[in-house]
Amino acid sequence: MTETVTITPQSGLDAYDDPQDAGESFTVQALVAPGNTTLKYGVDGSLDTVAFTVYMPLTIKLDDGWVSTATAMTDNFTITVRGQVCVGRVREWTLGGRGGVEVLATAATGSTP
């Protein structure tokens, strides 16, 4: 069963390292599964535990028409799943015109917005 998730493209930082305004949010119908990975950095290991794995179609319909889901999210975005704001990593796969987009959603904290 699909759930509604909200994607908010983030603009990053300006020349003074101040956060720029986020892009316009949009919703997508997606399949949500439990998280599935831990990513370690460096010798001591900074942990990145994935809270949710979200599966979406290759293309979605926005106000501008049909667009690539991965392109609409940009490189820097948040994804709100079940009320929890997460940072996402995208993996897109295609096979003969079929495929999908997988987002590994990592929550910065255990709290909801």
Side-chain angles (χ1 to χ4, degrees), residues 68-100:
S68 162
T69 304
T71 301
M73 287 189 280
T74 71
D75 290 335
N76 185 19
F77 66 95
T78 61
I79 180 169
T80 304
V81 181
R82 298 178 182 165
Q84 190 167 9
V85 177
C86 303
V87 174
R89 291 193 314 264
V90 175
R91 182 172 69 175
E92 180 178 37
W93 75 94
T94 59
L95 177 61
R98 299 166 72 181

Side-chain angles (χ1 to χ4, degrees), residues 1-80:
M1 179 174 220
T2 62
E3 298 180 38
T4 301
V5 298
T6 303
I7 307 293
T8 306
Q10 302 295 310
S11 298
L13 303 174
D14 65 13
Y16 301 102
D17 288 334
D18 293 323
Q20 295 179 331
D21 292 336
E24 187 174 333
S25 297
F26 58 92
T27 59
V28 177
Q29 291 297 310
L31 297 172
V32 178
N36 65 353
T37 65
T38 299
L39 181 65
K40 291 185 178 183
Y41 295 103
V43 176
D44 295 334
S46 299
L47 297 179
D48 176 8
T49 303
V50 175
F52 305 100
T53 303
V54 181
Y55 299 97
M56 294 179 266
L58 283 172
T59 58
I60 55 174
K61 187 170 184 180
L62 298 177
D63 294 336
D64 300 340
W66 289 94
V67 297
S68 162
T69 304
T71 301
M73 287 189 280
T74 71
D75 290 335
N76 185 19
F77 66 95
T78 61
I79 180 169
T80 304

